[in-house]
Amino acid sequence: MITLTTIVIAIVFTLALLIATFVAPNPITGVLALVMGALVYFVLWPKYEGGQLALSQGVEIQAAVQEVRHWNVGGDVGGDKYEILAVAPRPDNGQIQQFVSPPMTTDPQPYLGDTVSVTVDWSHPQAYIMDLSFLPFRVDSLRR
């Protein structure tokens, strides 16, 4: 889950880029400020609101673990990434809803059972938080 601290840091960084653009005009800082502003507005803020919505109005369910997705990012530099994919039927229409964990650098497969806890707001099923507290390593939740 994205925290308010993450949002504040991103906004401060964006404002610093904007100030740098006006103090020492450079097209690169202007473009970076626009990109950071778009990232905050279109990615970070909706993820934060979705997490808060799931916490306030969501219900905790047990989703069936479907698979652990693995890929390599950037060869030796980026390293391996893993995501847990879990599914559960929606109570309103019975369709299967998929939940994806944030990417991890350690394989979670040895620590997984058949299910994983997910807090989801069924009126907005994209607003969910997968509980990964059972893993013995830290998971950054910036992506989902």
Side-chain angles (χ1 to χ4, degrees):
M1 188 174 112
I2 292 180
T3 64
L4 189 56
T5 304
T6 304
I7 301 287
V8 169
I9 290 170
I11 290 172
V12 167
F13 186 69
T14 303
L15 291 175
L17 285 171
L18 278 172
I19 291 169
T21 300
F22 291 116
V23 171
N26 186 332
I28 293 174
T29 55
V31 169
L32 286 175
L34 285 174
V35 168
M36 279 300 297
L39 176 73
V40 169
Y41 186 76
F42 292 112
V43 178
L44 296 179
W45 188 255
K47 297 269 184 226
Y48 172 74
E49 283 184 329
Q52 294 303 311
L53 187 63
L55 284 176
S56 66
Q57 299 178 15
V59 294
E60 186 173 323
I61 63 164
Q62 294 299 312
V65 174
Q66 189 176 28
E67 69 174 301
V68 174
R69 185 167 37 194
H70 169 249
W71 72 96
N72 190 285
V73 179
D76 295 335
V77 177
D80 294 329
K81 298 289 182 182
Y82 303 89
E83 287 179 331
I84 300 169
L85 277 68
V87 294
R90 291 181 58 167
D92 55 351
N93 60 15
Q95 290 182 333
I96 298 298
Q97 178 71 38
Q98 186 177 56
F99 304 102
V100 182
S101 74
M104 300 166 240
T105 55
T106 305
D107 185 3
Q109 187 70 47
Y111 311 103
L112 281 176
D114 294 333
T115 63
V116 64
S117 294
V118 177
T119 302
V120 60
D121 177 10
W122 286 117
S123 62
H124 301 94
Q126 301 305 342
Y128 66 87
I129 299 171
M130 188 179 291
D131 180 13
L132 302 174
S133 61
F134 63 91
L135 295 172
F137 52 86
R138 185 172 181 263
V139 178
D140 293 328
S141 60
L142 190 58
R143 184 167 162 252
R144 296 235 192 279

